[in-house]
Amino acid sequence: NEDRKIRNFNFWQDTAYHMDAALFGEYLKNHLCLPAGMTHIVDTVVDATQNEDGTIKEILTEKHGAITADLFVDCTGFKSLLLEQKLKVPFISFHDTLLNDRAVATVIPYIDRDRELENYTSCTAIESGWVWNIPLWNRIGTGYVYSSEFATEEQAEAQLRKHLKSNRMICPDAKRADGAELRHIK
């Protein structure tokens, strides 16, 4: 419109940011946690014990054994070791209203970062869902959210690779698309 503003868009409320989670985690560890005297442990959680009131008492790890803390955050993904398995918090499915129930994700290297590094996330509708494209400093995070009622894993892979080769990408490249290592998420 005339004042060059987008109608019904408030920049301070209607804007979100994507960041590289691995780099952000490293930043928090090195600039906040370690300087504050916290201990950083890299290990695999295999089990947990509970207090009499049902709260998590300690986590059991492969290399470091039992670890106690004041706060536990379940970062075990869909395994949900603490929440679902130990605390018996049921998984709530939204299948009746959220048809897209699968994703296939990958990271792809830049061909020409000066052209491909956009300052926004794009989402593009394709055959059975939508593709996200999140440009980070050193790579592009991309993937395809789709409905398993309309596409198999193989079809979803083919649809994503086709998209990565298409002119919807700033630098479409068959070699990069065909070589992308894909990860399926249910």
Side-chain angles (χ1 to χ4, degrees), residues 4 8 41 50 52 56 87-88 103 119 161 171 175:
R4 300 184 59 103
N8 299 322
I41 299 170
Q50 293 174 271
E52 286 183 22
I56 301 294
L87 298 177
K88 305 299 182 206
N119 64 348
R161 290 186 197 280
C171 294
K175 183 177 177 185

Side-chain angles (χ1 to χ4, degrees), residues 89-118:
V89 175
F91 173 77
I92 300 172
S93 174
F94 288 90
H95 183 71
D96 57 331
T97 56
L98 185 62
L99 298 178
N100 290 341
D101 59 354
R102 301 282 193 275
V104 55
T106 189
V107 295
I108 56 174
Y110 286 113
I111 292 173
D112 182 349
R113 182 174 32 200
D114 289 340
R115 287 180 55 214
E116 292 179 284
L117 180 59
E118 301 167 304

Side-chain angles (χ1 to χ4, degrees), residues 23 25 29 35 39 59 61 66 75 119 127 131-132 144 155 167 185:
L23 286 177
K29 178 183 80 175
T39 303
I59 57 171
T61 66
C75 297
N119 64 348
E127 292 90 341
V131 174
W132 75 84
Y144 180 29
Q155 290 170 324
N167 63 3
I185 303 164

